[in-house]
């Protein structure tokens, strides 16, 4: 069996040099090529820091202590450093929560897109880069790609910026795409459209996706497998259908019970804390981590 | 909302985490130490300096223009006066000037800023345009021009610096007042019929105090810098009064052979401005940490 | 948008300029001492003093004096210096270019040192390089320009004499024919590279001494603005998309942080005009300052008023230019006009 695109094993994270606080207590997860996996939890559960560790971003700020292993596309990334830096934008890309603030306000889309393309091909000419950028924007159904390239992010709508962001993320054909609460800042219909777009593009290119979300409705629509994270620990791991039909961990049940029945989205009232939530991890049938399968 | 008197509020900081923030930064502590040492030296200059009699026009004629040695740590000037003694007295003078300038400029600027910011309308327009006029000339040039029409004395020097200093406080307090006037507690006070004076001095002013105190601390350094610049140009305190700026100007005539004449007063200016800057930055951090 | 900004700034500046002229005029006339007596000296007769007072309208009521002054000003007439006995405008035209040349070069040094020091400090925030950068900036801020002048002169002029310490040119170097009054430009226009190098050689120490204070402010501000920008999602995006760190420091984090810095950069640039007085004295630079200090010491009324007005005007013009640059460089402001 080939190695997963992303394999996180027993990841622990501690912030701070003097006043230390432990944020992750041994998180393990994996994403195989072409798979769409969701990591679900409340804000503060550690899902976003997990994503940023996988990208090697958090390690660069210093002030963090990481234990365990993260393998991205065969590269060890837990300690950060040059190797994972070189994968970013090429083999692994990220989509952010608020696309408008994630695009640089001082530069046109054109310049930022060129920079993205040149991380993979440093010698790319302006003309060639612009042609590719226009093609990539057309692929995400942007009506007038040339005009979008000439715009600043604040001149475009949130939905347009989200498409630009997806086009940039996929421009260098990465093998892994990490989507951190994509489009949460946008309204629901636009969010749904862009998610669909992302899913289709990822499917046609065989890009693996790790979706970070607190929105079980979105997860149900999008993911093949789901990890539920609670206070820095994975509490349940299942195929999407299994999880929604047969939630076994008390925390997962509380989460599901909290979804408003009619709209079917969002996580408005977070469940009260309960000692049951600290129960050990539950792994559904056929969902073991790859290294747990070996004898 | 904190309604207590400004001073009470400042003293209470001693028990809050502001002090912890302040003392956690070694540079802030360094600033505090520099400031305290200079204050003590200035206050007790008569006792602590080796040759207090050298403040006048004459010194030790047997040791004129002597390089630094055991008897004269910083050397002596062309009149045989101990440089260390004169620098300490220079500090004393500089601190007195800064105290006088700030104790006049700050209240004037604060009242102008409060009134313009709270009243709004034509009062705001008129007061702030006048402020702009002062801010539109480089401070040193304005002070120079005022000195130009006056005799170069200590009193007039302080007057000239004060005249160009208050607008900065007016600007600062005006901005804070504009923002605070929109806050709920001011509206609440207005609704219950509090007097203008009460609102301005008891409600808004306490909220300006951290910025004002920080700026005053930094400004002790910058007033000293400005005063020494004026006297360097010969437009401030006149000899034989020991003044750091004129000592540098005087010493520059004997460069490079008598380097100590210039270097020590120059370093002295740097140290005092640095000290008040570090202290001011530390206070700002502390106020911000207090929230 | 540009024109609207320009119009509103010019209007505000005109009001300020009128205010300054009234202020400085009032200060000049209210102060004790008889300028005519001072100008003529203690030996002049009472008749001579009276004649000079009449000639300069010094006996008229103040508003009338101000009116005469404004009338003359509208013809570009700033009055006559009692000290040089020439029109003040002629004196200023002679001395201003040397000051402006010093200020412009110094402003360039200030920006070229201050911006990178601040940016590098912000990039390595919290580490040793940052501490060094902050210390350099702080020393710049805390040290008056004349102290820098004296220290640089002592170190690089006397102890290790690689720079000249006085004047704009060597005595042996002929002054280039005046076109702009900037020796650097005039020597190039005249095609004399030797003169250019000599002028540059003389300019470096005073320009650096003048630049260091503003450099410190610019570096501190750039650092704090960049640290703020480093917390923005678009910088994380740049990192996540593999932009090289150097490109982020120099471009994707720098430019957004530079926009708010530019205003202060402009103010510091304008403030150089004031501090130039100190540096010119240290280096015997034949600019406006020596003239300014001379006329101040001699209570030369018209000359003082003229010098202050010219400096205030230069200061205001620089502020307008900065406002326009901010408008041009910030896409949000620049584009807001096209949409409406």
């Amino acid at each position: 069996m080939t190695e997963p695109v992303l394999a996180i094993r027993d990841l622990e994270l501690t912030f701070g040099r003097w006043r230390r606080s432990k944020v992750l207590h041994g998180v393990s997860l994996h994403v195989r090529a072409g798979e769409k996996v969701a990591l679900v939890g409340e804000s503060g559960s550690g899902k976003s820091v997990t994503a940023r560790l996988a990208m090697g971003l958090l390690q660069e700020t210093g002030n963090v202590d990481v234990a365990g292993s993260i393998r991205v596309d065969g590269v060890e990334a837990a300690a950060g450093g040059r190797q994972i830096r070189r994968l970013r934008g090429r083999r692994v890309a990220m989509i952010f929560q608020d696309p408008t603030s994630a695009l640089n306000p001082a530069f046109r889309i054109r310049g930022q897109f060129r920079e993205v393309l040149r991380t993979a091909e440093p010698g790319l000419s302006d003309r060639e880069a612009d042609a590719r950028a226009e093609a990539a924007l057309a692929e995400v159904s942007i009506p007038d790609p040339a005009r979008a390239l000439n715009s600043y992010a604040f001149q475009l709508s949130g939905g347009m910026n989200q498409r630009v962001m997806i086009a940039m993320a996929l421009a260098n054909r990465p093998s892994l795409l990490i989507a951190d609460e994509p489009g949460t800042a946008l309204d629901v219909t636009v969010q749904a459209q862009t998610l669909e777009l992302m899913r289709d593009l990822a499917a046609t290119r065989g890009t693996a996706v790790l979706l970070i979300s607190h929105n079980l409705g979105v997860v149900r629509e999008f993911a093949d497998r789901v990890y539920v994270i609670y206070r820095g620990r994975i509490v349940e791991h299942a195929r999407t259908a299994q999880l929604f039909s047969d939630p076994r961990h008390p925390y997962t049940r509380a989460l599901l019970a909290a979804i408003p029945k009619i709209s079917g989205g969002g996580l408005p009232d977070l469940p009260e804390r309960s000692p049951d939530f600290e129960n050990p991890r539950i792994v559904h049938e056929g969902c073991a981590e790859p290294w747990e399968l070996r004898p | 909302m904190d309604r207590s008197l400004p001073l009470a509020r400042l003293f209470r900081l001693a028990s809050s985490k502001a002090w912890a923030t302040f003392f956690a930064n070694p540079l802030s502590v360094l600033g505090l130490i520099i400031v305290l040492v200079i204050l003590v030296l200035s206050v007790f200059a008569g006792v602590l300096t080796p040759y207090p009699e050298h403040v006048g026009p004459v010194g030790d004629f047997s040791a004129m223009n002597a390089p630094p040695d055991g008897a004269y740590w910083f050397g002596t000037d062309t009149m045989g006066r101990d440089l260390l003694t004169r620098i300490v007295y220079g500090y004393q003078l500089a601190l007195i000037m800064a105290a006088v300038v700030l104790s006049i400029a700050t209240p004037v600027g604060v009242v102008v800023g409060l009134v313009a910011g709270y009243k709004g309308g034509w009062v705001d327009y008129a007061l702030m345009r006048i402020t702009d006029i002062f801010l539109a000339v480089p401070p040193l040039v304005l002070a120079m021009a005022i000195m130009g029409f006056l005799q170069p004395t200590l009193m007039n020097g302080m007057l000239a610096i004060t005249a160009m200093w208050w607008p900065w406080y007016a600007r600062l307090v005006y901005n804070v007042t504009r923002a605070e006037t929109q806050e709920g507690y001011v509206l609440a006070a207005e609704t219950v019929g509090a007097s203008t004076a009460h609102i301005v001095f008891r409600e808004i002013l306490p909220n300006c105090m951290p910025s004002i105190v920080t700026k005053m601390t930094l400004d002790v350094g910058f007033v000293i810098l400005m005063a020494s610049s004026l006297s360097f140009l010969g437009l401030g305190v006149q000899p034989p009064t020991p003044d750091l700026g004129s000592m540098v100007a005087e010493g520059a005539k004997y460069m490079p052979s008598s380097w100590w004449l210039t270097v020590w007063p120059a370093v002295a200016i740097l140290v005092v401005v640095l000290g008040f800057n570090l202290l001011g930055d530390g206070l700002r951090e502390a106020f911000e940490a207090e929230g | 948008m540009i024109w609207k900004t320009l119009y509103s700034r010019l209007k505000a500046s005109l009001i300020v300029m009128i205010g300054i002229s009234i202020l400085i005029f009032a200060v000049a006339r209210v102060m004790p001492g008889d300028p005519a007596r001072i100008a003529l000296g203690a030996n002049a007769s009472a008749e001579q003093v009276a004649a000079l007072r009449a000639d300069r309208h010094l006996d008229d009521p103040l508003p009338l004096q101000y009116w005469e002054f404004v009338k003359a000003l509208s013809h570009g007439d700033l009055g006559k210096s009692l000290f040089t006995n020439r029109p003040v405008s002629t004196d200023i035209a002679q001395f201003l270019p040397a000051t402006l040349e010093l200020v412009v070069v110094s402003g360039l040094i200030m920006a070229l040192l201050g911006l990178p020091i601040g940016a590098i400090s912000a990039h390595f925030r919290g580490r040793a390089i940052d501490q060094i950068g902050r210390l350099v900036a702080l020393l710049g801020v805390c040290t008056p320009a004349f102290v820098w002048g004296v220290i640089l002169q002592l170190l690089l002029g006397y102890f290790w004499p690689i720079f000249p310490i006085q004047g704009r040119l060597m005595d042996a170097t002929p002054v280039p024919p005046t076109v702009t009054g900037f020796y650097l430009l005039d020597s190039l226009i005249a095609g004399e590279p030797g003169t250019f190098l000599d002028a540059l050689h003389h300019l470096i120490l005073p320009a650096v001494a003048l630049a260091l204070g503003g450099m410190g402010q610019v570096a501190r501000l750039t650092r704090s603005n960049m640290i703020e920008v480093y917390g923005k999602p678009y910088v994380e995006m740049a990192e996540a998309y593999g932009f090289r760190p150097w490109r982020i420091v120099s471009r994707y984090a720098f430019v957004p942080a530079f926009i708010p810095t530019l205003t202060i950069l402009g103010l510091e640039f304008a403030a150089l005009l004031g501090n130039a007085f100190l540096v010119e004295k240290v280096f015997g630079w034949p600019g406006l300052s020596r003239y300014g200090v001379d006329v101040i010491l001699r209570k030369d009324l018209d000359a003082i008023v003229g010098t202050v007005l010219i400096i205030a005007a230069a200061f205001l013009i620089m502020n307008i230019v900065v406002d326009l640059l901010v408008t041009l460089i910030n896409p949000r402001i620049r584009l807001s006009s096209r949409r409406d």
Side-chain angles (χ1 to χ4, degrees):
Chain A
M1 202 183 239
T2 54
E3 196 184 359
V5 178
L6 172 68
I8 297 178
R9 190 170 173 180
D10 302 326
L11 186 64
E12 297 185 8
L13 170 69
T14 311
F15 274 121
R17 227 170 285 166
W18 290 291
R19 231 175 285 166
R20 297 165 67 85
S21 67
K22 200 161 181 180
V23 186
L24 296 181
H25 307 262
V27 167
S28 296
L29 61 83
H30 71 281
V31 183
R32 293 189 184 281
E35 239 188 340
K36 295 186 290 291
V37 175
L39 180 59
V40 183
E42 308 165 49
S43 52
S45 59
K47 55 190 194 314
S48 273
V49 292
T50 306
R52 279 162 177 73
L53 282 174
M55 298 284 294
L57 291 173
L58 212 51
Q59 292 89 325
E60 297 198 349
T61 63
N63 218 20
V64 292
D65 197 351
V66 183
S69 137
I70 304 171
R71 289 188 76 79
V72 180
D73 216 35
V75 166
E76 177 55 52
R82 179 184 294 263
Q83 277 192 309
I84 177 67
R85 201 180 302 151
R86 288 188 49 193
L87 291 188
R88 293 206 292 259
R90 296 168 52 229
R91 305 302 302 151
V92 48
M94 191 161 177
I95 289 177
F96 292 88
Q97 187 167 0
D98 177 5
T100 306
S101 65
L103 289 166
N104 199 308
F107 296 94
R108 295 172 199 277
I109 305 291
R110 181 185 303 281
Q112 297 178 66
F113 220 122
R114 283 180 187 165
E115 194 81 38
V116 168
L117 290 166
R118 281 180 185 145
T119 57
E121 276 180 70
L124 207 60
S125 74
D126 284 356
R127 272 185 58 191
E128 178 64 12
D130 289 352
R132 280 201 217 171
E134 281 188 32
L137 289 179
E139 253 186 303
V140 294
S141 315
I142 283 180
D144 189 351
R147 216 186 112 216
L149 281 182
N150 268 338
S151 304
Y152 291 89
F154 56 82
Q155 294 176 297
L156 300 175
S157 70
M160 288 289 262
N161 283 328
Q162 181 73 282
R163 286 159 195 268
V164 169
M165 189 107 254
I166 293 172
M168 280 183 182
L170 296 175
N172 293 325
R173 313 231 159 209
S175 51
L176 174 68
L177 177 66
I178 297 180
D180 184 13
E181 309 256 8
T184 314
L186 308 175
D187 71 67
V188 183
T189 41
V190 180
Q191 193 185 341
Q193 282 171 8
T194 49
L195 272 172
E196 202 173 317
L197 189 67
M198 189 170 84
R199 184 176 53 196
D200 294 348
L201 283 173
T204 52
R205 295 167 189 211
T207 307
V209 181
L210 177 65
L211 174 75
I212 310 291
S213 183
H214 65 263
N215 188 328
L216 285 169
V218 166
V219 167
R220 187 175 203 165
E221 296 289 314
F222 188 87
D224 305 325
R225 270 190 302 124
V226 182
Y227 290 89
V228 181
I229 185 168
Y230 174 70
R231 286 160 66 81
R233 289 185 178 83
I234 301 288
V235 293
E236 188 156 1
H237 175 201
R239 298 197 179 284
T240 309
Q242 288 173 322
L243 188 87
F244 282 87
S245 61
D246 179 23
R248 294 182 195 167
H249 196 277
Y251 177 70
T252 315
R253 285 193 204 136
L255 265 188
L256 285 169
I259 302 181
K261 291 289 178 270
I262 303 168
S263 71
L267 188 63
D269 293 310
L270 299 169
E272 297 269 325
R273 216 187 266 180
S274 147
D276 291 346
F277 294 173
E278 310 284 350
N279 285 1
R281 178 169 69 119
I282 294 173
V283 179
H284 286 243
E285 298 72 27
C287 286
E289 297 303 311
W291 51 89
E292 292 168 344
L293 292 172
R294 286 176 201 131
Chain B
M1 203 53 259
D2 197 330
R3 305 263 172 88
S4 49
L5 281 170
L7 268 182
R9 190 166 171 219
L10 286 179
F11 281 123
R12 240 198 1 263
L13 282 179
S15 61
S16 72
K17 76 174 183 188
W19 275 130
T21 311
F22 183 88
F23 283 104
N25 186 343
L27 286 179
S28 312
V29 178
L30 177 66
L32 182 66
I33 293 172
I34 292 176
V35 167
L36 286 178
V37 167
I38 290 176
L39 274 177
V40 168
L41 281 177
S42 306
V43 172
F44 301 105
V47 191
L48 293 176
T49 51
Y51 306 94
E53 67 278 10
H54 288 189
V55 169
V58 290
D60 178 357
F61 287 116
S62 63
M64 290 196 295
N65 217 355
D69 61 14
Y72 300 101
W73 292 355
F74 285 14
T76 62
D77 64 12
T78 47
M79 308 298 264
R81 299 175 296 191
D82 178 42
L83 222 51
L84 176 61
T85 303
R86 291 184 65 79
I87 284 174
V88 170
Y89 276 93
Y91 272 150
Q92 191 185 54
L93 182 82
L95 287 177
I96 291 171
M97 284 188 82
V100 171
V101 165
L102 290 177
S103 60
I104 300 171
T106 312
V108 171
V110 166
V111 168
V112 169
L114 280 173
V115 170
Y118 181 69
K119 280 283 180 190
W122 68 268
V123 177
D124 173 354
Y125 188 83
L127 286 177
M128 292 326 282
R129 281 303 82 70
I130 293 175
T131 309
D132 282 348
I133 289 168
F134 280 89
L135 296 180
V137 193
L140 182 63
V141 174
L142 188 58
M144 279 176 65
I146 295 175
M147 287 308 283
F149 305 117
L150 297 170
Q151 294 306 316
T153 63
L154 174 64
M155 215 53 196
N156 290 339
M158 291 193 290
L159 188 81
I161 297 173
T162 309
M164 48 129 308
W165 218 274
W166 67 268
W168 299 95
Y169 283 89
R171 218 353 115 195
L172 173 78
V173 172
Y174 174 79
N175 289 339
V176 182
T177 308
R178 292 296 295 172
E180 293 289 332
T181 307
Q182 315 299 324
E183 295 286 330
Y185 71 92
V186 173
L187 292 177
E190 280 170 350
T191 322
V192 301
S195 69
T196 302
H198 175 90
I199 293 175
V200 167
F201 289 106
R202 298 298 298 274
E203 306 284 344
I204 298 178
L205 182 59
N207 288 295
C208 304
M209 282 317 280
S211 329
I212 295 174
V213 170
T214 306
K215 185 166 171 53
M216 281 180 78
T217 312
L218 294 171
D219 276 356
V220 174
F222 290 128
V223 169
I224 292 174
L225 199 152
M226 178 64 61
S228 65
S229 299
L230 270 183
S231 52
F232 175 79
L233 290 173
L235 296 171
V237 183
Q238 299 298 307
T241 314
D243 176 280
L244 300 174
S246 35
M247 283 162 80
V248 175
E250 188 59 27
K253 294 178 191 159
Y254 303 97
M255 284 210 299
S257 52
S258 305
W259 54 268
W260 55 92
L261 293 181
T262 343
V263 168
W264 297 131
V267 170
I269 296 172
L270 193 163
V271 169
V272 66
V273 184
L274 188 72
F276 279 99
N277 248 279
L278 292 174
L279 180 63
D281 282 348
L283 285 180
R284 185 189 339 220
E285 266 178 33
F287 284 129
E288 276 166 8
E290 194 218 20
Chain C
M1 192 62 200
I2 298 279
W3 297 116
K4 224 165 81 187
T5 310
L6 184 63
Y7 174 72
S8 67
R9 290 293 178 275
L10 280 178
K11 209 173 64 179
S13 301
L14 191 67
I15 295 174
V16 168
M17 207 58 212
I18 292 171
I20 292 171
S21 69
I22 294 177
L23 172 76
I24 198 73
F25 192 83
V27 169
R29 301 297 142 124
V30 165
M31 294 300 175
D34 180 354
R37 165 62 68 192
I38 294 166
L40 294 172
N43 296 329
S45 69
E47 288 77 34
Q48 283 173 305
V49 172
L52 188 62
R53 286 189 66 87
D55 182 46
R56 293 297 160 86
H57 304 283
L58 289 175
D59 294 318
D60 294 347
L62 274 181
L64 202 65
Q65 286 190 40
Y66 181 70
W67 173 242
E68 292 291 334
F69 167 72
V70 172
K71 228 166 50 182
L73 192 62
S74 63
H75 304 123
D77 177 7
L78 287 167
K80 203 167 160 194
S81 165
L82 298 171
F83 156 53
T84 58
N85 214 19
R86 298 192 304 177
V88 173
S89 49
T90 312
D91 283 347
I92 290 177
Q94 183 192 334
F95 293 115
L96 189 61
T99 297
L100 285 184
E101 181 173 44
L102 176 64
V103 165
V104 167
V105 172
S106 182
L108 286 176
I109 294 174
M110 172 180 86
L112 292 179
L113 286 179
L115 293 171
I117 288 178
I120 289 169
S121 242
H123 182 72
F124 293 103
R125 56 199 172 281
R127 300 203 226 150
I129 294 180
D130 179 27
Q131 307 299 354
I132 295 170
R134 292 176 74 178
L135 191 69
V136 169
L138 193 64
L139 283 178
V141 171
C142 291
T143 311
F146 67 88
V147 168
W148 283 126
V150 168
I151 290 174
L152 288 176
Q153 225 175 29
L154 200 59
L155 294 180
L156 301 177
Y158 289 115
F159 291 155
W160 188 33
I162 51 173
F163 285 106
I165 47 174
Q166 294 282 317
R168 292 178 83 184
L169 288 175
M170 290 300 188
D171 290 337
T173 312
V175 174
T178 304
V179 182
T180 59
F182 285 29
Y183 284 1
L184 289 182
L185 294 180
D186 287 353
S187 60
L188 287 182
I189 291 169
E192 291 167 30
T195 310
F196 174 82
L197 286 180
D198 191 30
L200 188 65
H201 198 203
H202 279 78
L203 190 52
I204 287 175
L205 278 194
V208 168
L210 181 54
L212 287 175
M215 179 281 294
Q217 291 288 14
V218 170
R220 291 176 95 179
L221 203 76
T222 305
R223 177 180 179 275
S224 64
N225 284 340
M226 282 223 4
I227 285 178
E228 201 186 322
V229 165
Y230 269 114
K232 300 273 188 191
Y234 53 80
V235 172
E236 191 178 33
M237 177 269 188
E239 284 167 352
Y241 282 65
F243 293 14
R244 284 180 300 282
W246 189 83
R247 290 283 285 173
I248 297 177
V249 189
S250 65
R251 197 170 157 83
Y252 291 97
F254 179 77
V255 174
F258 178 67
I259 291 169
T261 311
L262 183 61
T263 308
I264 297 300
L265 190 65
L267 286 178
E268 290 297 332
F269 195 88
L272 294 177
L273 269 175
N275 288 330
F277 280 65
L278 302 167
V279 173
E280 287 185 10
K281 175 167 176 176
V282 175
F283 290 93
W285 192 260
L288 201 55
S289 117
R290 207 159 61 179
Y291 179 72
V293 174
D294 280 344
V295 295
I296 282 172
L297 289 176
R298 288 184 167 78
K299 304 246 175 287
D300 188 345
L301 280 191
D302 285 357
I304 298 175
V305 173
T307 309
V308 173
L309 279 184
I310 287 295
I311 288 177
F315 199 78
L316 285 173
I317 290 170
M318 279 184 191
N319 278 318
I320 293 173
V321 169
V322 167
D323 277 341
L324 291 180
L325 278 179
V326 170
T327 311
L328 271 178
I329 208 170
N330 188 340
R332 272 181 214 271
I333 302 177
R334 170 161 44 90
L335 296 171
S336 64
S337 61
R338 286 196 207 158
R339 269 189 286 172
D340 49 48

